[in-house]
């Protein structure tokens, strides 16, 4: 019973990531070892968590697209696999359908949360910011608590039946699942390619693959070379002379208030819904500023209502918009202008920061972490968290103050120097080199005559499979169909002895 309670708490912790700034603490690479530790088999937890991380590597939440719930599916799949004494193949066989079912429940939750928007606006109309922030938190808790309850009931009611069922699975099914599991990372790589792969930067993908396949360089080395190449490529062009302009704005808000803005931005997605997306998270983050500038309910009301309008951007770059908005509120800029600038910045900043963090930094951190965790090294998940979150939180914190102190002038300077374009290009080069190296280093799909194929080109099957899945991703085939298709292909290849 105690182990079930701890596993339930792991799911609650994973789903509480929306309160922790999307810091990737709910990824399989982090939660898998925790489940293994609770059940007394840390090594299996590390290996299964790393395997699931590879499969769900492209499983990211961009815009309103809701991917399979890898938190609930990954934890339950890992737990059932360890409890039954089976390996990673059984974990993925369970994690995939559970993740898809959980995704449906989460989508229903995100739809139903929209019903709270009228209540939020009513509180804002009355200037009751205390009720706005309370409802934001309470509604946000629905997700971790409901998924925790489902997890506990699944373990309590289904663990015995699941173990009995898994014990009856014949060996050929296990072998098929093993081959299919080795193929599934191709989906994650293909989804990452879909974020960055263009004709202009495509050669860097193949450079990463060649470095890993022929020179056997580890992912860390490929990433290091990627950084050097990205710097060399993006340093071209003539520098634009800075135009000195008088600064009419003298910040008045205390540093503690802006720091509070940063901390509250970590809860931006806590009440995500399909109607107005991150609006309540934005208003919740702005409250320390609004309370300083609008001390009465009457003056607070219109400001709170305008920040409850639709908002959606990358959580990683959100503090720049929050800082700029705080500066505009302090300068008493026209409300229409504030809304226009907020809406205008959402899309461009989402594109830049999603590419930088989802497509580059997370890929590098996951590559390093997975390669260690697959060998049973606990440093894998630790490095994964540090490599991603140290630069993420530092930049997020700094952007809050940059946005507040410089306002839109900061963006104008970036545009004059083409910094955004260079940043996006550099991130794509680095990310694609690491993704290109992954099929050669992290996929173990082989044919019986692998030695002959290696003489022609090492890693030929993983590379071909990745591009085959990428082709279907570009054709907008649903991720669920691709998962099921790869499972079927793995089974067929194993039964026909084409793949091992």
């Amino acid at each position: 019973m105690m182990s079930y309670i701890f596993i339930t708490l792991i799911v609650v912790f994973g789903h509480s990531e929306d309160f922790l700034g999307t810091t990737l603490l709910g990824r399989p690479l982090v939660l898998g070892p925790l489940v293994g530790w609770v059940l007394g088999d840390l090594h299996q937890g590390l290996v299964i968590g790393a395997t699931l991380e590879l499969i769900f590597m492209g499983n990211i939440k961009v815009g309103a697209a809701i991917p399979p719930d890898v938190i609930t599916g990954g934890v339950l799949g890992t737990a059932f696999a360890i409890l039954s004494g089976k390996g990673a193949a059984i974990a993925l066989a369970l994690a995939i359908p559970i993740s898809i079912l959980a995704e449906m429940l989460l989508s229903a939750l995100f739809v139903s949360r929209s019903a709270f928007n009228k209540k939020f606006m009513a509180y804002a109309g009355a200037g009751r910011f205390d009720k706005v922030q309370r409802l934001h938190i309470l509604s946000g808790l629905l997700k971790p608590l409901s998924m925790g309850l489902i997890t506990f009931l699944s373990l309590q009611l289904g663990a015995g039946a699941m173990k009995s069922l898994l014990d009856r699975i014949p060996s050929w099914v296990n072998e098929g699942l093993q081959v299919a599991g080795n193929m599934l990372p191709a989906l994650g790589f293909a989804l990452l390619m879909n974020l960055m792969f263009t004709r202009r930067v495509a050669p860097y993908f193949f450079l990463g693959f060649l470095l890993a396949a022929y020179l056997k360089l580890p992912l860390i080395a490929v990433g290091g070379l990627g950084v050097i190449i990205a710097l060399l490529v993006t340093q071209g062009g003539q520098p634009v002379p800075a135009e000195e302009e008088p600064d009419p704005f003298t910040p008045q808000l205390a540093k503690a208030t802006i720091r509070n803005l940063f901390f509250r931005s970590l809860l931006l997605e806590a009440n995500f819904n399909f109607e107005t997306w991150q609006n309540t998270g934005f208003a919740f983050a702005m409250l320390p500023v609004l309370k300083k500038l609008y001390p009465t309910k009457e003056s607070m009301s219109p400001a709170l209502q305008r920040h409850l309008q639709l908002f959606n951007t990358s959580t990683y770059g959100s503090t720049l918009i929050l800082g700029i908005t705080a500066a505009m509120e302090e300068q008493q800029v026209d409300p229409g202008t504030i809304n226009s600038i907020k809406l205008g910045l959402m899309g461009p900043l989402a594109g830049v920061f999603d590419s930088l963090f989802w497509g580059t930094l997370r890929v590098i951190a996951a590559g390093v972490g997975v390669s260690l965790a697959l060998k049973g090294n606990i440093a894998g998940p630790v490095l994964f968290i540090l490599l991603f979150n140290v630069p993420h939180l530092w930049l997020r914190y700094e952007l809050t103050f940059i946005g507040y102190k410089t306002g839109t002038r900061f963006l104008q300077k970036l545009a004059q120097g083409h910094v955004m374009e260079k940043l996006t290009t550099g991130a794509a080069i680095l990310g694609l080199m690491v993704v290109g190296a992954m099929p050669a280093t992290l996929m173990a799909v082989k044919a019986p005559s692998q030695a002959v194929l290696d003489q022609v080109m090492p890693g030929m099957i993983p590379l071909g499979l990745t591009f085959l899945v990428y082709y279907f991703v570009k054709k907008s085939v649903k991720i669920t169909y691709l998962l099921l298709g790869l499972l079927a292909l793995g089974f067929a290849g194993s039964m026909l002895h084409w793949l091992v």
Side-chain angles (χ1 to χ4, degrees), residues 88-348:
I90 290 297
L92 73 90
L94 297 173
I96 291 173
I98 295 173
S99 298
I100 294 171
L101 287 173
E103 172 207 350
M104 296 176 185
L105 295 174
L106 287 180
S107 295
L109 173 64
F110 295 152
V111 170
S112 62
R113 271 180 178 166
S114 302
F116 292 136
N117 282 330
K118 287 185 179 178
K119 184 67 74 177
F120 275 109
M121 291 305 290
Y123 289 152
R128 295 301 304 269
F129 64 86
D130 54 335
K131 290 191 174 183
V132 168
Q133 63 183 5
R134 188 183 308 148
L135 184 57
H136 176 71
I137 293 173
L138 290 176
S139 180
L141 288 173
L142 289 176
K143 184 184 170 197
L145 293 181
S146 59
M147 300 315 289
L149 178 63
I150 290 171
T151 300
F152 182 75
L153 292 176
S154 300
L155 290 166
Q156 186 69 16
L157 303 176
M162 188 63 69
K163 185 177 186 309
S164 176
L165 176 65
L166 294 177
D167 287 341
R168 297 177 186 173
I169 292 178
S171 60
W172 64 268
V173 174
N174 275 330
E175 292 170 3
L177 285 172
Q178 187 66 51
V179 173
N182 292 336
M183 296 171 65
L184 286 174
L187 177 57
F189 305 153
L191 290 172
L192 289 173
M193 288 172 63
N194 196 39
L195 287 175
M196 303 174 281
F197 197 84
T198 63
R199 185 175 298 178
R200 181 184 176 195
V201 293
Y204 299 103
F205 174 91
F206 295 103
L207 177 59
F209 174 80
L210 293 174
L211 289 171
Y214 284 95
L215 301 183
K216 308 298 180 188
L217 291 184
L219 286 174
I220 294 178
V222 175
L225 285 171
V227 171
I228 295 170
I229 292 172
L231 288 173
L232 291 174
V233 170
T234 57
Q235 278 184 347
Q238 295 296 322
V240 177
E243 296 180 7
E244 295 296 334
E245 296 179 359
D247 188 356
F249 174 55
T250 303
Q252 300 294 323
L253 292 172
K255 190 174 181 180
T257 304
I258 304 305
R259 191 183 298 122
N260 206 357
L261 193 67
F262 157 74
F263 283 117
R264 282 176 169 251
S265 79
L266 300 179
L267 284 73
L268 185 69
E269 296 227 302
N271 185 44
F272 179 87
N273 67 87
F274 281 147
E275 184 180 0
T276 48
W277 298 352
Q278 303 163 338
N279 66 324
T280 65
F282 191 91
F284 178 83
M286 283 293 296
L287 276 177
V289 174
L290 299 183
K291 284 193 285 186
K292 294 287 184 185
L293 300 176
Y294 306 105
T296 65
K297 290 180 181 177
E298 291 74 20
S299 58
M300 165 75 78
S301 175
L304 199 49
Q305 289 184 74
R306 65 172 162 266
H307 292 306
L308 281 173
Q309 303 301 315
L310 181 147
F311 184 78
N312 192 36
T313 191
S314 167
T315 56
Y316 306 116
S318 61
T319 50
L320 183 59
I321 302 179
L322 283 164
I324 292 171
T325 306
M328 290 191 294
E329 288 286 357
E330 186 179 326
Q331 296 173 74
Q332 298 184 335
V333 174
D334 174 65
T337 303
I338 294 176
N339 285 334
S340 297
I341 290 177
K342 274 174 58 184
L343 291 172
L345 291 177
M346 286 187 328

